[in-house]
Amino acid sequence: DLEVKHGGASLIAREVWGAIKGLETFSQLVYQDDSDVYLVNRTYIHDYPRFPHRGVLLDTARHYLNKDTLITNLEIMAQNKMNVFHWHIVDDNSFPFQSKMYPELSDKPSEVFSNGCLISFAIEVLYTTVDDFGLLLDIIAKIGSQREQGSGYIVWQEVFDNGVKLKPDTIVQIWSGDAFDIGRVTGAGFRTLYSTCWYLDYINYGQDWDKYYLCENIGQMLEDYRVQNQTLIMGGDVCLWTEFADDGSVLPRL
């Protein structure tokens, strides 16, 4: 709750995160007049997050993004009250992640991926690392049980669509479906994230804002499809893949 009135302003928040968001809102209310005097109009704002997960996905596997770009993105996220940075670091185009356990993945890419050695290397890694890593989801669950805040994992919707047996605390991220698919996931009892209509890498002629505006009315869409267990909808990610974007265009597009 932010109130600005004659003689001062007050900010009340239940948690420190609300106070931070409130200060961000207050900073956006300040403006300068023609005499360069800073002013704030009288106002009252009661604000709260519609969804707990409000993410931005950036892909650095297709085009390199320098550290300044990533830090500026975090600033932009704060200005827009986004709270989760989803960093897509590796893909089939590049593998910049350096593993201490398997340094050859990044230290010797020419040897690993050239001369037709990729299928044999992949098979060797697959069958020699399963024992080392164990079942990844079990490991994450174990780590979570040892942390006060817990720990979980997210899978893309193909994992759910293909019938993989998932743990009850799995989060499913939908990227190619609509409210019907949200309903399938929540109906099965899983938490879900929605990203389909917030893919910023799509290149279209003409205006783009209208499709994002329509997607903001997700509540009506959920009602139209009679989606059950809507409390399992955590929010979503705005996704900017970089097949056609780099340091020069990522931030303007965001």
Side-chain angles (χ1 to χ4, degrees):
D1 288 280
L2 174 63
E3 184 174 16
V4 180
K5 55 186 177 182
H6 182 70
S10 65
L11 174 62
I12 300 174
R14 295 172 55 186
E15 298 180 355
V16 63
W17 311 113
I20 293 173
K21 305 303 183 189
L23 290 172
E24 180 65 47
T25 296
F26 180 80
S27 72
Q28 295 175 10
L29 298 176
V30 178
Y31 65 98
Q32 287 178 277
D33 64 9
D34 295 336
S35 303
D36 291 333
V37 175
Y38 289 95
L39 303 171
V40 183
N41 291 330
R42 293 182 181 181
T43 188
Y44 174 75
I45 295 174
H46 174 67
D47 197 11
Y48 58 92
R50 181 168 47 155
F51 297 108
H53 182 113
R54 306 177 301 280
V56 170
L57 178 150
L58 278 186
D59 164 27
T60 58
R62 275 51 177 262
H63 273 116
Y64 172 81
L65 300 179
N66 66 50
K67 186 172 69 173
D68 290 340
T69 297
L70 298 178
I71 293 175
T72 302
N73 167 64
L74 297 179
E75 295 291 340
I76 295 172
M77 288 175 60
Q79 292 170 11
N80 290 277
K81 302 183 176 63
M82 313 290 271
N83 66 345
V84 178
F85 177 41
H86 181 166
W87 193 354
H88 187 85
I89 302 176
V90 301
D91 214 297
D92 57 351
N93 305 95
S94 67
F95 202 98
F97 171 75
Q98 292 182 304
S99 169
K100 292 182 179 179
M101 184 175 294
Y102 302 101
E104 293 86 359
L105 287 175
S106 55
D107 290 350
K108 301 178 181 179
S110 59
E111 297 179 22
V112 172
F113 297 106
S114 64
N115 301 322
C117 296
L118 174 59
I119 296 178
S120 62
F121 176 81
I123 293 175
E124 179 182 351
V125 168
L126 173 65
Y127 288 107
T128 58
T129 60
V130 167
D131 288 337
D132 293 337
F133 285 124
L135 296 175
L136 181 59
L137 302 186
D138 287 337
I139 292 175
I140 296 175
K142 181 178 179 181
I143 294 173
S145 67
Q146 299 169 354
R147 299 175 60 195
E148 182 179 350
Q149 298 299 326
S151 180
Y153 51 85
I154 302 171
V155 298
W156 293 107
Q157 74 179 79
E158 290 91 336
V159 179
F160 175 83
D161 291 341
N162 291 329
V164 175
K165 186 177 181 180
L166 301 174
K167 295 181 180 298
D169 60 349
T170 301
I171 300 169
V172 179
Q173 185 160 356
I174 295 172
W175 68 275
S176 64
D178 52 23
F180 173 77
D181 298 279
I182 295 177
R184 291 194 301 116
V185 173
T186 59
F190 296 108
R191 291 175 293 169
T192 185
L193 299 172
Y194 187 54
S195 295
T196 303
C197 58
W198 289 300
Y199 264 51
L200 304 186
D201 56 305
Y202 291 156
I203 298 176
N204 297 316
Y205 291 99
Q207 63 192 29
D208 280 320
W209 65 267
D210 54 344
K211 63 182 180 183
Y212 302 124
Y213 179 82
L214 292 173
C215 194
E216 277 295 301
N217 191 20
I218 190 172
Q220 186 60 52
M221 185 169 56
L222 298 174
E223 293 300 324
D224 291 343
Y225 281 87
R226 299 180 179 178
V227 173
Q228 303 296 314
N229 302 329
Q230 293 188 21
T231 58
L232 295 177
I233 302 172
M234 299 179 64
D237 280 350
V238 169
C239 301
L240 182 45
W241 306 91
T242 57
E243 288 92 342
F244 305 104
D246 56 18
D247 275 320
S249 59
V250 162
L251 295 178
R253 189 170 298 185
L254 277 173

